[in-house]
Amino acid sequence: MKMTTEEAFVKTLQMHGIQHAFGIIGSAMMPISDIFPAAGITFWDCAHEGSGGFMADGYTRATGKMSMMIAQNGPGITNFVTAVKTAYWNHTPLLLVTPQAANKTIGQGGFQEVEQMKLFEDMVAYQEEVRDPSRVAEVLNRVIMNARRASAPAQINIPRDMWTQVIDIELPAIVEFERPSGGEQAVAQAADLLSNAKNPVILNGAGVVLSRGGIAASKALAERLDAPVCVGYQHNDAFPGSHPLFAGPLGYNGSKAAMELIKDADVVLCLGTRLNPFSTLPGYGMEYWPTEARIIQVDINPDRIGLTKRVTVGIVGDAAKVATGILNQLSDSAGDEGRAARKARIAETKSRWAQQLTEMTHEDDDPGTTWNQRARAAKPEWMSPRMAWRAIQSALPKEAIISSDIGNNCAIGNAYPSFEEGRKYLAPGLFGPCGYGLPSIVGAKIGCPDVPVVGFAGDGAFGIAVNELTAIGRGEWPAITQVVFRNYQWGAEKRNSTLWFDDNFVGTELDEQVSYAGIARACGLQGVVARTMDELTTALAKAIEDQMKHGRTTLIEAMINQELGEPFRRDAMKKPVRVAGIDKADMREQQV
């Protein structure tokens, strides 16, 4: 069949059902963007390509459907770097389309030229460059299939002089693989360990959310064993929050109940998780990882099994299929030993933690430091971060999708949200980029227009994405709600400064003259300031009503005091020792 290269490209996108593209328009992509409307593809032109990448991540994580990122070669494409690596560690299958400088001039250091394949080689699961016009559809098809198989971004690099050429090809076939259900011996061994366990615990990761039926399969297994279910850091949606066996998230500012329960486990089934080190760091002064327990690790990627923890049984497979396989091979008496006592302990531990969490209003100071005490004294009428989170919980619909950003105040909220189904909690993940909260929730709303969505960000991180307010107020963009915690500081770094650098605050202070609510109003959106818990609850409830019933976007600036939560990296920080000494007098003037 005769067609142009751009028609072959777009027909392949249609074949895979890719309906949304995120980025900024540029000449190198215009031959294909010209036919996006005719093909049923919506191009979402954001204010910065990095935010466009986060929108694509949010869309795909909320829906399970692939989307694409595309921009101008060179500086447009380099702006995608952070978003692509974020998607990689979020296990998000995305299509990265990188138009390249033309073959005719590449290598001459021409306009907007950079080595785009080298740029992303550590950030994608697969990448390929188109070498001949006749291979455009073949290469694109393979890239998309590999993104889906690896559940990660994949890149197609295409020199811009490949466009507008006539070729004669047949569109390639889509080849899908059945997800593996785990090795027979490994599944049988796992079933035997769990059948004889006295204190089994299940730890659900992102793979449970990504697997079709993963949450239901883990729920059936947990109920058969009456085993508590913990979830990995930033994966609060990997098990129903109202279930009596749900213990909550591990990791930074997570659930103390989950930590106490997994600490005493004799067998842990780690389902769909790579067991990243940050997720099991000590919390609340507690070393909780059960070093003597038998560990069963299930992951779709064999390279990640046993990488961070000692593993007794490793299983390469889909979380739902492996959980079902284990369930079917449990002994008749599995879970019976100590069942009643185990159920009682789960309920008691959860109840005690829920009460403690309700009573946690302020952040503690380490011995020898007084910042949080001073912060409360300086603004006695202002909300603390935890007061803000309690006010938010009072207004947040159970069915809502929420996003979080990196930073002190979002992290303090890690233990609060729970969900009844997956694909509801969009956190930036272990690459840890700032500026994720707003664009990712916009992407989620594009994919789920009938679901209320709320984004959260601290004021430092929000500043990185604030320019998107100039883009999302246009008529075709869906309404969202964004909460910004406003305390005029980079909180995580400021806590480091109080603990290890004697309150020497370098680069931690933000401009108190800036009003994010004012910027929102200047962009034609609704901007609201909330100073008390009641004001925040009321403002959030109204903003969600305006979002769902009237199509209005609202930014809520939640004014909070400058209390600082637990530092992110006690494991990586220590007080420096000065040996030679530093003196301003040693600074020389540069000769120009």
Side-chain angles (χ1 to χ4, degrees), residues 336-367:
D336 288 349
E337 184 171 354
R339 187 184 294 271
R342 189 165 60 250
K343 290 173 69 175
R345 180 164 184 258
I346 294 167
E348 189 274 331
T349 304
K350 287 181 59 177
S351 176
R352 186 173 67 249
W353 166 239
Q355 182 62 37
Q356 290 176 356
L357 187 61
T358 300
E359 294 169 354
M360 291 170 69
T361 298
H362 297 292
E363 303 307 305
D364 294 330
D365 283 308
D366 275 40

Side-chain angles (χ1 to χ4, degrees), residues 20-25 42-60 67-71 76-77 79-84 86-87 92 94-96 434-436 438-444 446 464-465 467-468 471-472 474 477:
H20 296 276
F22 298 86
I24 293 180
I25 195 69
T42 303
F43 181 63
W44 299 94
D45 54 326
C46 53
H48 187 280
E49 292 91 348
S51 291
F54 290 149
M55 289 178 190
D57 186 71
Y59 170 87
T60 295
S67 57
M68 63 184 281
M69 306 155 64
I70 186 169
I77 296 302
N79 280 343
F80 278 140
V81 166
T82 298
V84 173
T86 299
T92 307
L94 290 177
L95 173 62
L96 172 63
C434 291
Y436 181 84
L438 172 63
S440 64
I441 209 64
V442 171
I446 288 169
I464 293 175
N467 54 346
E468 294 308 320
I472 64 174
R474 291 171 290 176
W477 289 73

Side-chain angles (χ1 to χ4, degrees), residues 265-315:
D266 57 349
V267 178
V268 181
L269 172 62
C270 304
L271 192 59
T273 171
R274 63 187 180 90
L275 290 174
N276 72 78
F278 194 74
S279 283
T280 54
L281 288 176
Y284 307 104
M286 184 194 325
E287 291 270 6
Y288 56 84
W289 185 255
T291 55
E292 300 302 315
R294 307 287 187 88
I295 306 298
I296 304 161
Q297 186 180 3
V298 180
D299 198 284
I300 200 74
N301 185 341
D303 295 339
R304 293 175 182 159
I305 295 177
L307 184 63
T308 64
K309 302 290 184 186
R310 178 182 54 83
V311 170
T312 308
V313 180
I315 304 176

Side-chain angles (χ1 to χ4, degrees), residues 401-477:
I401 299 171
I402 73 170
S403 70
S404 176
D405 221 309
I406 280 293
N408 186 70
N409 295 308
C410 285
I412 285 172
N414 186 35
Y416 291 90
S418 63
F419 308 89
E420 296 308 304
E421 55 187 300
R423 300 192 180 277
K424 292 291 188 178
Y425 189 37
L426 309 179
L430 268 295
F431 191 55
C434 291
Y436 181 84
L438 172 63
S440 64
I441 209 64
V442 171
K445 186 67 176 185
I446 288 169
C448 305
D450 298 325
V451 178
V453 305
V454 183
F456 296 95
D459 49 2
F462 185 76
I464 293 175
V466 67
N467 54 346
E468 294 308 320
L469 297 180
T470 67
I472 64 174
R474 291 171 290 176
E476 65 272 22
W477 289 73

